[in-house]
Amino acid sequence: MNRPKTMTRSRFAEGAVEWLIRASAFSAIVGLFLIFIFIGKEALPILTSPDVRKEANISKLFLPQDQAHPYSWQPVSEIPKYSILPLFVGTLKMTLVAVLFAIPLALGAALFTSEFSPGWLKEFIKPIIELLAGIPSVVLGFFALMVMASYVQELFGIVYRLNAINAGIALGLAVIPIVYTVADDALTSVPKSYREASMAMGASPWQTAWRVVFPAALPGILAACVLGFGRAIGETMIVLMASGNAAIMSWNLAKPARSLSATIAAELGEVVVGSAHYHVLFFIGISLFIFTFVLNMFAHWFVARLQKKVLGTI
Amino acid sequence: MTGQKGLQIEELSIRADGRDLLRSVSLEVRPGEILGIIGPAGSGKTTLLRCLNRLADLDEGLRISGRVFLNGASILGRDADVVGIRRKIGLVFPVPTPLPLSIFDNLAFGPRIGGITAVEELRRMMESSLKSAYLWEEVNDRLNEPAANLSGGQQQRLCLARTLMLEPEILLLDEPCSGLDPISTAQIEEALKVLRKDMAIVLVTNNVKQASRVADKTAFLLLGELVEFAPTRELFTTPRDKRTEDYITGRFG
Ligand SMILES: Nc1ncnc2c1ncn2[C@@H]1O[C@H](COP(=O)(O)OP(=O)(O)OP(=O)(O)O)[C@@H](O)[C@H]1O
Ligand SMILES: [Mg+2]
């Protein structure tokens, strides 16, 4: 006789749990949306307020200004200059170095530990790489500034001690564990039956890894790369400490560079609230936000397409 | 060197964790024959097949002793050409194992590994393999679709065709019909009866009737021990061992 009662009670509990899960998922979206609104609101005067637009508007931010110095970021000089292109260039070139350095290393390590290394070696390597993720970025930045910079300078024969290569490599150290962990997960979750079917047809371990396991894990591996890219683009402390922070409009990797994120970190603390400079910093923030958001959406779409192509329509 | 065609297994024993998975098993199969292997779960059938095409190399902790000859040449030695052996002794798994590729790429996988890349030649091989596996009619116009889109029975026949692409001398099948409906099962059995002309076939099956239908000779494995090995008709009509009789009449356990 008490069966119906427990039924309703468990159904009620189920409903409550479902509601809770839905609420927590929803709150994440609401949080993201509110952040976007807040940053966007502070960036908006660049487009709307006449006072701000006199000092800083889209054309001043992106187009070349005077002949001698077409792109300068000098927000606190007598006549402030707010060209943010050098910051974009700085961010992109350091991110590029980081990604080119970190992704091949991380993927190579993941392929090695998932396909070729004996079990005990994987148990040794994996925790060490994952430990790298636990190092605070300020420590990595300090290391890059005090120790690594001299070696990098000597190795590449660079004039400036702090430069985009140095910062990029330090950034890469922060990217490696992310890419490695996600890629290793993707590779190890490829079903054993794929490997055995491939080997049973006479493929070597290398051929199996390259022709079967890697393509099967490709969606996860791309997701790993996107995560790594996002981390590199948003990382602040390492580039602030290791890049020299000069806003130079140049793709030369041997020169110092200044990133978007480091600019916000360095300047937002001292800027006059409501000034043109203040709004430009928020504009930089919203640009970063939109850029990573679009990148993620695109990657998501691409990965889903790839998954469908690899695994079929079911 | 025994100089004989086909596969000779002599006193093959496999141990793991101090347990015998196979105990001194001796079997033989020649081109033109189907060897059926029956036995209850855990009797070592899969272990035997995986050992024969050296896939057991992937399992850690197996200790293998005894001799296995393919056309008179030993295949168990450390210095044997493992890749060559796996291509000459093809293995079909109990569950379909299509790779996450198109039907075409699944079939072309083996030949491409072996260096055959010309599309014309691949297509020609594909047509004959798919026809042998009774799958040609169903897939010849959808070779570029993902293999995962096929039904389970079609996938299993695809895996058979994929193994045939290697043009093996020995074909090992591990319960190839375990998840299939009677029609797919009948198609695979038909295929085997024809394929027998070109190769030696070892068919492991849970289904005693299947062995009696298609096998020329049958071996009964029980907990790693080869209880009886005889021509199929003989084994099913006049079993010499009481345990064989109990098993084939379903009175086991
Ligand atoms: N690598 C291994 N290490 C230890 N034991 C193993 C290993 N591989 C198989 N075994 C054991 O060997 C025994 C035989 O297994 P096997 O898979 O060969 O049986 P089978 O006859 O194919 O059974 P089924 O009909 O259920 O497929 C089982 O008890 C299994 O646990
Ligand atoms: Mg088995």
Side-chain angles (χ1 to χ4, degrees):
Chain A
M1 280 304 102
N2 65 23
R3 205 190 161 97
K5 216 187 223 167
T6 50
M7 280 268 284
T8 37
R9 194 181 298 158
S10 79
R11 197 172 295 163
F12 174 77
E14 232 170 70
V17 168
E18 195 184 314
W19 192 86
L20 216 82
I21 293 172
R22 204 175 290 169
S24 61
F26 196 64
S27 70
I29 296 174
V30 169
L32 203 66
F33 184 71
L34 288 180
I35 292 173
F36 182 82
I37 294 291
F38 173 74
I39 303 178
K41 191 176 80 76
E42 297 296 322
L44 206 59
I46 302 277
L47 302 175
T48 56
S49 152
D51 280 349
V52 173
R53 279 170 52 88
K54 232 180 280 164
E55 258 191 76
N57 54 43
I58 292 293
S59 85
K60 286 197 171 161
L61 258 47
F62 288 101
L63 298 179
Q65 300 302 309
D66 57 86
Q67 283 289 319
H69 306 284
Y71 302 102
S72 335
W73 175 259
Q74 287 166 347
V76 288
S77 65
E78 200 89 1
I79 309 159
K81 292 176 183 155
Y82 295 110
S83 178
I84 64 175
L85 272 189
L87 308 180
F88 269 99
V89 168
T91 290
L92 283 181
K93 72 181 180 183
M94 286 188 280
T95 302
L96 207 70
V97 172
V99 162
L100 287 182
F101 166 68
I103 286 182
L105 270 181
L107 294 188
L111 208 57
F112 176 73
T113 55
S114 79
E115 302 304 307
F116 301 104
S117 80
W120 62 268
L121 192 55
K122 174 166 183 168
E123 291 312 307
F124 178 72
I125 295 176
K126 198 170 152 75
I128 291 183
I129 297 184
E130 284 169 356
L131 211 64
L132 204 58
I135 301 177
S137 47
V138 67
V139 174
L140 275 180
F142 183 76
F143 170 74
L145 172 66
M146 302 304 289
V147 183
M148 215 176 75
S150 307
Y151 291 104
V152 170
Q153 185 182 18
E154 199 171 319
L155 184 66
F156 294 96
I158 299 174
V159 182
Y160 308 96
R161 189 168 174 279
L162 298 180
N163 52 61
I165 294 181
N166 184 49
I169 292 176
L171 208 49
L173 292 179
V175 171
I176 284 175
I178 295 176
V179 178
Y180 169 81
T181 309
V182 179
D184 183 68
D185 275 354
L187 288 166
T188 36
S189 60
V190 169
K192 198 171 151 223
S193 67
Y194 291 177
R195 294 188 180 84
E196 295 202 332
S198 163
M199 301 277 240
M201 286 186 273
S204 67
W206 267 108
Q207 288 167 324
T208 302
W210 186 242
R211 292 179 181 230
V212 177
V213 180
F214 199 82
L218 200 57
I221 287 174
L222 280 183
C225 295
V226 170
L227 273 179
F229 196 82
R231 168 80 203 260
I233 253 186
E235 169 59 46
T236 306
M237 195 47 88
I238 294 174
V239 288
L240 185 63
M241 296 173 81
S243 67
N245 280 317
I248 302 170
M249 185 65 183
S250 157
W251 286 101
N252 187 345
L253 298 177
K255 287 192 175 172
R258 189 182 185 89
S259 80
L260 294 163
S261 56
T263 303
I264 299 177
E267 298 173 13
L268 198 58
E270 283 150 30
V271 72
V272 179
V273 175
S275 65
H277 185 192
Y278 173 88
H279 293 299
V280 171
L281 289 180
F282 273 92
F283 183 80
I284 292 175
I286 201 79
S287 310
L288 263 178
F289 189 106
I290 292 174
F291 186 76
T292 41
F293 191 76
V294 169
L295 182 78
N296 273 311
M297 294 301 273
F298 176 75
H300 195 81
W301 169 82
F302 188 72
V303 165
R305 238 181 69 119
L306 203 72
Q307 224 149 12
K308 197 170 157 188
K309 202 173 151 211
V310 169
L311 300 176
T313 49
I314 22 176
Chain B
M1 278 287 195
T2 55
Q4 298 182 53
K5 278 278 184 191
L7 200 62
Q8 278 84 38
I9 303 166
E10 294 176 2
E11 292 169 11
L12 182 68
S13 296
I14 302 180
R15 288 175 69 81
D17 314 326
R19 224 154 47 88
D20 283 325
L21 308 185
L22 282 184
R23 240 171 305 150
S24 192
V25 169
S26 298
L27 290 168
E28 170 173 45
V29 61
R30 290 159 185 261
E33 288 178 341
I34 298 181
L35 163 63
I37 299 182
I38 56 173
S43 51
K45 307 180 297 288
T46 299
T47 309
L48 172 63
L49 292 195
R50 288 171 67 88
C51 172
L52 295 183
N53 90 331
R54 296 288 298 256
L55 209 59
D57 292 13
L58 306 181
D59 301 333
E60 281 168 34
L62 291 186
R63 298 193 31 213
I64 300 173
S65 58
R67 298 170 298 281
V68 179
F69 301 97
L70 171 64
N71 299 336
S74 172
I75 61 166
L76 283 190
R78 232 172 240 282
D79 48 349
D81 163 27
V82 177
V83 165
I85 288 166
R86 289 188 182 143
R87 299 175 68 85
K88 283 184 217 149
I89 306 182
L91 173 63
V92 176
F93 296 86
V95 287
T97 54
L99 295 174
L101 305 167
S102 69
I103 296 171
F104 185 97
D105 289 336
N106 261 281
L107 291 164
F109 189 89
R112 280 177 177 158
I113 294 281
I116 299 174
T117 50
V119 177
E120 274 311 301
E121 171 147 32
L122 288 173
R123 280 196 183 281
R124 191 185 51 69
M125 294 167 75
M126 242 170 244
E127 183 169 346
S128 94
S129 298
L130 285 172
K131 279 180 175 160
S132 299
Y134 287 75
L135 192 59
W136 174 251
E137 302 290 313
E138 287 156 75
V139 302
N140 71 63
D141 54 349
R142 48 192 290 209
L143 290 176
N144 289 319
E145 277 184 39
N149 284 4
L150 297 175
S151 78
Q154 290 171 328
Q155 285 182 19
Q156 188 63 314
R157 278 176 282 146
L158 176 70
C159 290
L160 174 59
R162 190 175 67 180
T163 303
L164 295 178
M165 292 288 285
L166 304 171
E167 300 175 335
E169 296 178 34
I170 315 285
L171 178 62
L172 310 176
L173 301 126
D174 191 357
E175 294 172 24
C177 306
S178 54
L180 304 187
D181 70 303
I183 294 175
S184 300
T185 302
Q187 280 169 324
I188 289 191
E189 287 178 9
E190 276 317 303
L192 297 186
K193 285 182 188 161
V194 178
L195 283 170
R196 156 170 59 186
K197 291 193 197 101
D198 304 318
M199 57 193 76
I201 297 176
V202 180
L203 171 66
V204 164
T205 174
N206 264 342
N207 180 342
V208 175
K209 289 219 182 73
Q210 182 170 53
S212 74
R213 279 197 300 268
V214 297
D216 299 295
K217 27 190 194 178
T218 300
F220 174 48
L221 269 184
L222 180 61
L223 294 173
E225 184 192 343
L226 179 61
V227 175
E228 194 160 345
F229 174 39
T232 300
R233 179 179 300 231
E234 193 179 313
L235 187 130
F236 277 92
T237 51
T238 54
R240 259 171 289 148
D241 197 295
K242 179 80 170 59
R243 289 169 295 175
T244 313
E245 185 179 347
D246 286 349
Y247 184 69
I248 59 179
T249 52
R251 265 184 284 138
F252 208 78

